[in-house]
PDB file of all heavy atoms in Angstrom:
ATOM      1  N   LYS A 748     -33.463  21.214 -22.037  1.00 98.00           N
ATOM      2  CA  LYS A 748     -34.330  22.383 -22.177  1.00 98.00           C
ATOM      3  C   LYS A 748     -33.774  23.555 -21.382  1.00 98.00           C
ATOM      4  O   LYS A 748     -34.048  24.714 -21.696  1.00 98.00           O
ATOM      5  CB  LYS A 748     -35.741  22.051 -21.667  1.00 98.00           C
ATOM      6  CG  LYS A 748     -36.423  20.916 -22.410  1.00 98.00           C
ATOM      7  CD  LYS A 748     -36.759  21.317 -23.830  1.00 98.00           C
ATOM      8  CE  LYS A 748     -37.454  20.170 -24.551  1.00 98.00           C
ATOM      9  NZ  LYS A 748     -37.752  20.517 -25.944  1.00 98.00           N
ATOM     10  N   VAL A 749     -33.059  23.223 -20.342  1.00 98.00           N
ATOM     11  CA  VAL A 749     -32.518  24.268 -19.470  1.00 98.00           C
ATOM     12  C   VAL A 749     -31.076  23.938 -19.104  1.00 98.00           C
ATOM     13  O   VAL A 749     -30.783  22.814 -18.686  1.00 98.00           O
ATOM     14  CB  VAL A 749     -33.327  24.367 -18.152  1.00 98.00           C
ATOM     15  CG1 VAL A 749     -32.742  25.462 -17.260  1.00 98.00           C
ATOM     16  CG2 VAL A 749     -34.795  24.630 -18.428  1.00 98.00           C
ATOM     17  N   MET A 751     -28.246  26.138 -16.865  1.00 98.00           N
ATOM     18  CA  MET A 751     -27.920  27.403 -16.197  1.00 98.00           C
ATOM     19  C   MET A 751     -26.779  27.205 -15.217  1.00 98.00           C
ATOM     20  O   MET A 751     -26.750  26.231 -14.465  1.00 98.00           O
ATOM     21  CB  MET A 751     -29.135  27.967 -15.463  1.00 98.00           C
ATOM     22  CG  MET A 751     -30.088  28.721 -16.382  1.00 98.00           C
ATOM     23  SD  MET A 751     -31.319  29.626 -15.437  1.00 98.00           S
ATOM     24  CE  MET A 751     -32.553  28.354 -15.264  1.00 98.00           C
ATOM     25  N   VAL A 803     -36.760  36.971 -19.591  1.00 97.00           N
ATOM     26  CA  VAL A 803     -37.078  35.822 -20.441  1.00 97.00           C
ATOM     27  C   VAL A 803     -38.584  35.542 -20.425  1.00 97.00           C
ATOM     28  O   VAL A 803     -39.200  35.496 -19.350  1.00 97.00           O
ATOM     29  CB  VAL A 803     -36.295  34.583 -19.966  1.00 97.00           C
ATOM     30  CG1 VAL A 803     -36.892  33.306 -20.531  1.00 97.00           C
ATOM     31  CG2 VAL A 803     -34.830  34.707 -20.359  1.00 97.00           C
ATOM     32  N   ASP A 804     -39.150  35.395 -21.614  1.00 97.00           N
ATOM     33  CA  ASP A 804     -40.564  35.044 -21.711  1.00 97.00           C
ATOM     34  C   ASP A 804     -40.659  33.525 -21.838  1.00 97.00           C
ATOM     35  O   ASP A 804     -40.540  32.956 -22.922  1.00 97.00           O
ATOM     36  CB  ASP A 804     -41.188  35.737 -22.929  1.00 97.00           C
ATOM     37  CG  ASP A 804     -42.677  35.429 -23.043  1.00 97.00           C
ATOM     38  OD1 ASP A 804     -43.221  34.736 -22.140  1.00 97.00           O
ATOM     39  OD2 ASP A 804     -43.293  35.874 -24.029  1.00 97.00           O
ATOM     40  N   ILE A 805     -40.860  32.915 -20.710  1.00 97.00           N
ATOM     41  CA  ILE A 805     -40.807  31.456 -20.639  1.00 97.00           C
ATOM     42  C   ILE A 805     -41.770  30.799 -21.627  1.00 97.00           C
ATOM     43  O   ILE A 805     -41.462  29.781 -22.236  1.00 97.00           O
ATOM     44  CB  ILE A 805     -41.085  31.000 -19.192  1.00 97.00           C
ATOM     45  CG1 ILE A 805     -39.884  31.396 -18.315  1.00 97.00           C
ATOM     46  CG2 ILE A 805     -41.336  29.503 -19.108  1.00 97.00           C
ATOM     47  CD1 ILE A 805     -40.140  31.353 -16.834  1.00 97.00           C
ATOM     48  N   ALA A 806     -42.915  31.408 -21.812  1.00 97.00           N
ATOM     49  CA  ALA A 806     -43.950  30.797 -22.650  1.00 97.00           C
ATOM     50  C   ALA A 806     -43.537  30.712 -24.125  1.00 97.00           C
ATOM     51  O   ALA A 806     -43.981  29.826 -24.851  1.00 97.00           O
ATOM     52  CB  ALA A 806     -45.245  31.587 -22.520  1.00 97.00           C
ATOM     53  N   ILE A 808     -40.300  30.568 -25.430  1.00 98.00           N
ATOM     54  CA  ILE A 808     -39.025  29.947 -25.825  1.00 98.00           C
ATOM     55  C   ILE A 808     -39.069  28.444 -25.571  1.00 98.00           C
ATOM     56  O   ILE A 808     -39.811  27.962 -24.712  1.00 98.00           O
ATOM     57  CB  ILE A 808     -37.820  30.564 -25.090  1.00 98.00           C
ATOM     58  CG1 ILE A 808     -37.941  30.352 -23.568  1.00 98.00           C
ATOM     59  CG2 ILE A 808     -37.697  32.057 -25.415  1.00 98.00           C
ATOM     60  CD1 ILE A 808     -36.655  30.636 -22.826  1.00 98.00           C
ATOM     61  N   ASP A 809     -38.258  27.723 -26.338  1.00 98.00           N
ATOM     62  CA  ASP A 809     -38.215  26.268 -26.174  1.00 98.00           C
ATOM     63  C   ASP A 809     -37.083  25.807 -25.268  1.00 98.00           C
ATOM     64  O   ASP A 809     -37.205  24.800 -24.581  1.00 98.00           O
ATOM     65  CB  ASP A 809     -38.068  25.580 -27.542  1.00 98.00           C
ATOM     66  CG  ASP A 809     -39.382  25.578 -28.300  1.00 98.00           C
ATOM     67  OD1 ASP A 809     -40.407  25.967 -27.698  1.00 98.00           O
ATOM     68  OD2 ASP A 809     -39.380  25.200 -29.487  1.00 98.00           O
ATOM     69  N   GLU A 810     -35.968  26.528 -25.360  1.00 98.00           N
ATOM     70  CA  GLU A 810     -34.818  26.149 -24.536  1.00 98.00           C
ATOM     71  C   GLU A 810     -34.180  27.400 -23.941  1.00 98.00           C
ATOM     72  O   GLU A 810     -34.341  28.496 -24.463  1.00 98.00           O
ATOM     73  CB  GLU A 810     -33.744  25.394 -25.349  1.00 98.00           C
ATOM     74  CG  GLU A 810     -34.199  24.077 -25.964  1.00 98.00           C
ATOM     75  CD  GLU A 810     -34.727  24.254 -27.381  1.00 98.00           C
ATOM     76  OE1 GLU A 810     -34.583  25.380 -27.926  1.00 98.00           O
ATOM     77  OE2 GLU A 810     -35.306  23.307 -27.928  1.00 98.00           O
ATOM     78  N   LEU A 811     -33.446  27.170 -22.849  1.00 98.00           N
ATOM     79  CA  LEU A 811     -32.789  28.292 -22.171  1.00 98.00           C
ATOM     80  C   LEU A 811     -31.365  27.903 -21.807  1.00 98.00           C
ATOM     81  O   LEU A 811     -31.133  26.880 -21.146  1.00 98.00           O
ATOM     82  CB  LEU A 811     -33.577  28.646 -20.905  1.00 98.00           C
ATOM     83  CG  LEU A 811     -32.990  29.738 -19.997  1.00 98.00           C
ATOM     84  CD1 LEU A 811     -32.905  31.082 -20.724  1.00 98.00           C
ATOM     85  CD2 LEU A 811     -33.832  29.876 -18.731  1.00 98.00           C
ATOM     86  N   ARG A 839     -36.321  28.345  -9.872  1.00 98.00           N
ATOM     87  CA  ARG A 839     -37.710  28.710 -10.183  1.00 98.00           C
ATOM     88  C   ARG A 839     -37.932  28.741 -11.697  1.00 98.00           C
ATOM     89  O   ARG A 839     -38.909  28.190 -12.213  1.00 98.00           O
ATOM     90  CB  ARG A 839     -38.037  30.093  -9.600  1.00 98.00           C
ATOM     91  CG  ARG A 839     -38.305  30.081  -8.126  1.00 98.00           C
ATOM     92  CD  ARG A 839     -38.773  31.444  -7.628  1.00 98.00           C
ATOM     93  NE  ARG A 839     -38.956  31.407  -6.187  1.00 98.00           N
ATOM     94  CZ  ARG A 839     -40.059  30.949  -5.581  1.00 98.00           C
ATOM     95  NH1 ARG A 839     -41.089  30.541  -6.312  1.00 98.00           N
ATOM     96  NH2 ARG A 839     -40.146  30.920  -4.273  1.00 98.00           N
ATOM     97  N   ILE A 840     -37.015  29.391 -12.405  1.00 98.00           N
ATOM     98  CA  ILE A 840     -37.200  29.516 -13.850  1.00 98.00           C
ATOM     99  C   ILE A 840     -37.039  28.168 -14.541  1.00 98.00           C
ATOM    100  O   ILE A 840     -37.787  27.833 -15.461  1.00 98.00           O
ATOM    101  CB  ILE A 840     -36.247  30.593 -14.394  1.00 98.00           C
ATOM    102  CG1 ILE A 840     -36.769  31.947 -13.916  1.00 98.00           C
ATOM    103  CG2 ILE A 840     -36.142  30.524 -15.914  1.00 98.00           C
ATOM    104  CD1 ILE A 840     -35.930  33.132 -14.270  1.00 98.00           C
ATOM    105  N   ALA A 841     -36.090  27.376 -14.052  1.00 98.00           N
ATOM    106  CA  ALA A 841     -35.905  26.038 -14.637  1.00 98.00           C
ATOM    107  C   ALA A 841     -37.180  25.214 -14.498  1.00 98.00           C
ATOM    108  O   ALA A 841     -37.622  24.543 -15.438  1.00 98.00           O
ATOM    109  CB  ALA A 841     -34.732  25.340 -13.961  1.00 98.00           C
ATOM    110  N   ILE A 842     -37.786  25.274 -13.317  1.00 98.00           N
ATOM    111  CA  ILE A 842     -39.012  24.495 -13.105  1.00 98.00           C
ATOM    112  C   ILE A 842     -40.140  25.022 -13.996  1.00 98.00           C
ATOM    113  O   ILE A 842     -40.884  24.246 -14.611  1.00 98.00           O
ATOM    114  CB  ILE A 842     -39.409  24.515 -11.613  1.00 98.00           C
ATOM    115  CG1 ILE A 842     -38.383  23.730 -10.785  1.00 98.00           C
ATOM    116  CG2 ILE A 842     -40.808  23.935 -11.408  1.00 98.00           C
ATOM    117  CD1 ILE A 842     -38.556  23.845  -9.286  1.00 98.00           C
ATOM    118  N   GLN A 843     -40.241  26.338 -14.093  1.00 98.00           N
ATOM    119  CA  GLN A 843     -41.296  26.906 -14.954  1.00 98.00           C
ATOM    120  C   GLN A 843     -41.097  26.490 -16.410  1.00 98.00           C
ATOM    121  O   GLN A 843     -42.055  26.176 -17.116  1.00 98.00           O
ATOM    122  CB  GLN A 843     -41.301  28.432 -14.816  1.00 98.00           C
ATOM    123  CG  GLN A 843     -41.900  28.890 -13.486  1.00 98.00           C
ATOM    124  CD  GLN A 843     -41.510  30.313 -13.125  1.00 98.00           C
ATOM    125  OE1 GLN A 843     -40.870  31.010 -13.902  1.00 98.00           O
ATOM    126  NE2 GLN A 843     -41.878  30.732 -11.923  1.00 98.00           N
ATOM    127  N   MET A 844     -39.861  26.492 -16.860  1.00 98.00           N
ATOM    128  CA  MET A 844     -39.571  26.027 -18.228  1.00 98.00           C
ATOM    129  C   MET A 844     -39.997  24.566 -18.398  1.00 98.00           C
ATOM    130  O   MET A 844     -40.634  24.194 -19.390  1.00 98.00           O
ATOM    131  CB  MET A 844     -38.057  26.125 -18.510  1.00 98.00           C
ATOM    132  CG  MET A 844     -37.540  27.493 -18.872  1.00 98.00           C
ATOM    133  SD  MET A 844     -38.095  28.066 -20.496  1.00 98.00           S
ATOM    134  CE  MET A 844     -37.296  26.888 -21.601  1.00 98.00           C
ATOM    135  N   LEU A 845     -39.645  23.746 -17.425  1.00 98.00           N
ATOM    136  CA  LEU A 845     -39.874  22.307 -17.568  1.00 98.00           C
ATOM    137  C   LEU A 845     -41.328  21.924 -17.324  1.00 98.00           C
ATOM    138  O   LEU A 845     -41.779  20.862 -17.754  1.00 98.00           O
ATOM    139  CB  LEU A 845     -38.938  21.540 -16.627  1.00 98.00           C
ATOM    140  CG  LEU A 845     -37.456  21.608 -17.038  1.00 98.00           C
ATOM    141  CD1 LEU A 845     -36.543  21.121 -15.921  1.00 98.00           C
ATOM    142  CD2 LEU A 845     -37.220  20.785 -18.318  1.00 98.00           C
ATOM    143  N   GLN A 846     -42.063  22.803 -16.643  1.00 98.00           N
ATOM    144  CA  GLN A 846     -43.484  22.504 -16.419  1.00 98.00           C
ATOM    145  C   GLN A 846     -44.290  22.571 -17.707  1.00 98.00           C
ATOM    146  O   GLN A 846     -45.446  22.181 -17.742  1.00 98.00           O
ATOM    147  CB  GLN A 846     -44.045  23.449 -15.343  1.00 98.00           C
ATOM    148  CG  GLN A 846     -43.646  22.989 -13.938  1.00 98.00           C
ATOM    149  CD  GLN A 846     -44.090  23.926 -12.838  1.00 98.00           C
ATOM    150  OE1 GLN A 846     -44.329  25.108 -13.086  1.00 98.00           O
ATOM    151  NE2 GLN A 846     -44.186  23.414 -11.620  1.00 98.00           N
ATOM    152  N   LYS A 847     -43.657  23.035 -18.760  1.00 98.00           N
ATOM    153  CA  LYS A 847     -44.338  23.025 -20.061  1.00 98.00           C
ATOM    154  C   LYS A 847     -44.321  21.629 -20.694  1.00 98.00           C
ATOM    155  O   LYS A 847     -45.025  21.381 -21.675  1.00 98.00           O
ATOM    156  CB  LYS A 847     -43.651  24.024 -21.005  1.00 98.00           C
ATOM    157  CG  LYS A 847     -43.678  25.467 -20.496  1.00 98.00           C
ATOM    158  CD  LYS A 847     -43.235  26.467 -21.556  1.00 98.00           C
ATOM    159  CE  LYS A 847     -41.774  26.316 -21.901  1.00 98.00           C
ATOM    160  NZ  LYS A 847     -41.335  27.276 -22.933  1.00 98.00           N
ATOM    161  N   GLU A 848     -43.522  20.737 -20.141  1.00 98.00           N
ATOM    162  CA  GLU A 848     -43.370  19.386 -20.697  1.00 98.00           C
ATOM    163  C   GLU A 848     -44.565  18.518 -20.317  1.00 98.00           C
ATOM    164  O   GLU A 848     -44.824  18.298 -19.132  1.00 98.00           O
ATOM    165  CB  GLU A 848     -42.092  18.744 -20.162  1.00 98.00           C
ATOM    166  CG  GLU A 848     -40.822  19.506 -20.472  1.00 98.00           C
ATOM    167  CD  GLU A 848     -40.453  19.418 -21.935  1.00 98.00           C
ATOM    168  OE1 GLU A 848     -40.643  18.333 -22.527  1.00 98.00           O
ATOM    169  OE2 GLU A 848     -40.001  20.436 -22.497  1.00 98.00           O
ATOM    170  N   TYR A 852     -40.587  15.857 -16.342  1.00 98.00           N
ATOM    171  CA  TYR A 852     -39.195  16.279 -16.489  1.00 98.00           C
ATOM    172  C   TYR A 852     -38.295  15.713 -15.405  1.00 98.00           C
ATOM    173  O   TYR A 852     -38.770  15.241 -14.367  1.00 98.00           O
ATOM    174  CB  TYR A 852     -39.111  17.805 -16.485  1.00 98.00           C
ATOM    175  CG  TYR A 852     -39.681  18.453 -15.226  1.00 98.00           C
ATOM    176  CD1 TYR A 852     -38.884  18.641 -14.096  1.00 98.00           C
ATOM    177  CD2 TYR A 852     -41.020  18.856 -15.172  1.00 98.00           C
ATOM    178  CE1 TYR A 852     -39.406  19.214 -12.953  1.00 98.00           C
ATOM    179  CE2 TYR A 852     -41.543  19.439 -14.019  1.00 98.00           C
ATOM    180  CZ  TYR A 852     -40.732  19.611 -12.913  1.00 98.00           C
ATOM    181  OH  TYR A 852     -41.246  20.172 -11.774  1.00 98.00           O
TER     182      TYR A 852
END
Side-chain angles (χ1 to χ4, degrees):
K748 300 292 181 182
V749 180
M751 279 191 272
V803 163
D804 182 3
I805 290 165
I808 62 166
D809 284 352
E810 298 92 8
L811 176 62
R839 282 186 183 277
I840 289 176
I842 292 172
Q843 286 161 5
M844 280 291 295
L845 291 167
Q846 281 176 337
K847 300 191 293 180
E848 301 288 322
Y852 58 87

